[in-house]
Each structure stands twice: as C-alpha cells, then as structure tokens.
C-alpha cells in the first residue's frame, strides 16, 4: 500500500493561516513545512525557466515532490497534435527539478473527445522523452471506456480521480494506476 501524500495546487498561503506553517525564506519553503507535495499549476499558463524550477527544488526538503501540469498549449490549443517541440521545451524546463520531480499532470478540456490515434501518438511521443509518472485528467465521457483504459495502460498513464466528477467514473483514479492521483476542485462550490 502506498503512502498517501496531500498537497495543493500552488503554494500561496492566506495571511490568516501563516501561523500554521513553519518559517521559511519563501512562501514555497514555508508551504513545505506542512505539505510534502505541490502541484505546479502555473506551468499550464506559462513556461518557467529551468533556473526557476531549480530554485524551487533547492528550497524544499529532500523528500518533497513536485507534480507539474503540462502546458495549455499542448492539451488545449494543439489538442495533443504536433506538439513535439513544445513538449521538448517544457520537459527541458521541468527536468531542472531533478529528483524532486514527482510526475506530470495532463488535464484535457471537457470538449476533448477521445481520438485513440491522436492520444496514442501523443503518449508514445511523451514516453520517448520521459519515463516520469504521468496522469491524465480527461473531462469528456468518451475517455471512460475499456478502450480508453487500455490505451492509458499501454503507455503507463494513470487517470486522475476528480471532484466534481463530470461522469461517475471520473471520481476515482483508475484501479491499476501506478500513481493514484486525485484533484479535488471543490464540489459543488
């Protein structure tokens, strides 16, 4: 049985909660006094320099891990198609986390219908470049089928358990996931 680690998407701490955290030279360092993992959600919106990732990695304890969200350019704008150069740049930046990289998160838009050929090509492209854990948060019902599960398993990609779940199966990670991952967005508010 794996240990469950709880973290947040980002590491901002409300002023009224600061006393619950230890001291640190940065907000991330303070966050890391209470949580062992964090999701870097900002990478979805903009790239970060390798030096930024390296600085983050150096400011947290040895056993702390980062989950890094793939860019919107890959998941939403290119829809997993012809994204080799963007993926190369992104992975090159995030590799500066070194051993503190926990894995990657791919969140798909609700309109992204499963196209097995496109998804297979993307996951093969990803796996040629990285063996890091990868989880996918699909938000269209077409991704919750035996064919989709087989595709994810073939490339060792876990499926996120999300709340709120847009379809019933989306509320829990897939049973065989090597990296069970939940994202609690808040249901219903």
């Amino acid at each position: 049985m794996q240990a469950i680690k709880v973290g947040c998407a980002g590491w901002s701490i409300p002023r009224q909660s600061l006393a619950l955290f230890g001291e640190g030279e940065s907000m991330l360092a303070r966050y890391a006094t209470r949580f062992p993992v964090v999701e870097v959600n900002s990478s979805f919106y903009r790239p970060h320099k390798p030096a930024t990732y390296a600085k983050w990695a150096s400011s947290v304890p040895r056993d702390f891990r980062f989950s890094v969200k793939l860019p919107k350019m890959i998941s939403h704008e290119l829809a997993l198609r012809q994204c080799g150069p963007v993926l190369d740049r992104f992975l090159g930046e995030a590799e500066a986390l070194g051993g503190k990289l926990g894995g990657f998160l791919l969140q798909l838009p609700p309109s992204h219908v499963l196209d097995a050929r496109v998804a297979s090509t993307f996951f093969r492209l990803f796996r040629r470049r990285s063996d890091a854990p990868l989880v996918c948060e699909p938000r269209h019902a077409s991704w919750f089928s035996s064919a989709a599960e087989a595709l994810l398993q073939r490339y060792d990609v876990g499926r996120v358990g999300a709340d709120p779940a847009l379809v019933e199966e989306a509320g829990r990670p897939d049973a065989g996931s090597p990296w069970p991952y939940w994202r609690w967005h808040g249901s219903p508010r």
Side-chain angles (χ1 to χ4, degrees):
M1 181 178 231
Q2 291 180 318
I4 294 174
K5 296 181 180 181
V6 176
C8 299
W11 50 82
S12 61
I13 303 170
R15 181 176 305 280
Q16 65 271 24
S17 300
L18 280 174
L20 299 172
F21 293 81
E23 294 298 317
E25 293 182 17
S26 67
M27 201 59 77
L28 173 58
R30 290 191 78 165
Y31 169 93
T33 66
R34 295 288 287 191
F35 292 104
V37 295
V38 72
E39 183 181 289
V40 179
N41 205 23
S42 58
S43 55
F44 181 74
Y45 300 102
R46 65 184 180 281
H48 297 295
K49 295 178 182 178
T52 300
Y53 283 109
K55 180 180 175 183
W56 291 341
S58 70
S59 69
V60 296
R62 184 174 41 87
D63 59 347
F64 189 93
R65 295 294 177 268
F66 293 86
S67 167
V68 186
K69 191 171 180 181
L70 272 74
K72 176 172 64 170
M73 173 65 77
I74 292 171
S75 58
H76 290 56
E77 295 169 27
L78 295 172
L80 307 182
R81 292 176 171 88
Q82 300 179 345
C83 54
V86 178
L87 183 61
D88 287 338
R89 186 193 78 225
F90 168 70
L91 292 173
E93 295 161 357
E95 75 182 6
L97 289 170
K100 293 183 181 166
L101 172 65
F104 294 102
L105 164 68
L106 169 65
Q107 182 187 53
L108 298 174
S111 61
H112 191 112
V113 175
L114 172 64
D115 179 324
R117 186 180 56 76
V118 170
S120 182
T121 300
F122 173 77
F123 291 135
R124 187 171 38 257
L125 185 76
F126 183 92
R127 285 291 169 226
R128 284 186 190 146
R129 290 157 168 78
S130 178
D131 60 357
L134 173 64
V135 292
C136 180
E137 183 180 1
R139 296 184 289 165
H140 188 276
S142 63
W143 282 82
F144 299 91
S145 65
S146 57
E149 284 185 36
L151 175 70
L152 294 171
Q153 287 175 359
R154 182 178 325 135
Y155 294 102
D156 200 24
V157 177
R159 191 189 71 237
V160 167
D163 177 49
L166 300 177
V167 297
E168 184 179 342
E169 298 88 352
R172 60 191 175 284
D174 57 342
S177 178
W179 192 39
Y181 198 105
W182 283 266
R183 296 189 85 220
W184 292 327
H185 303 286
S187 173
R189 293 180 228 167

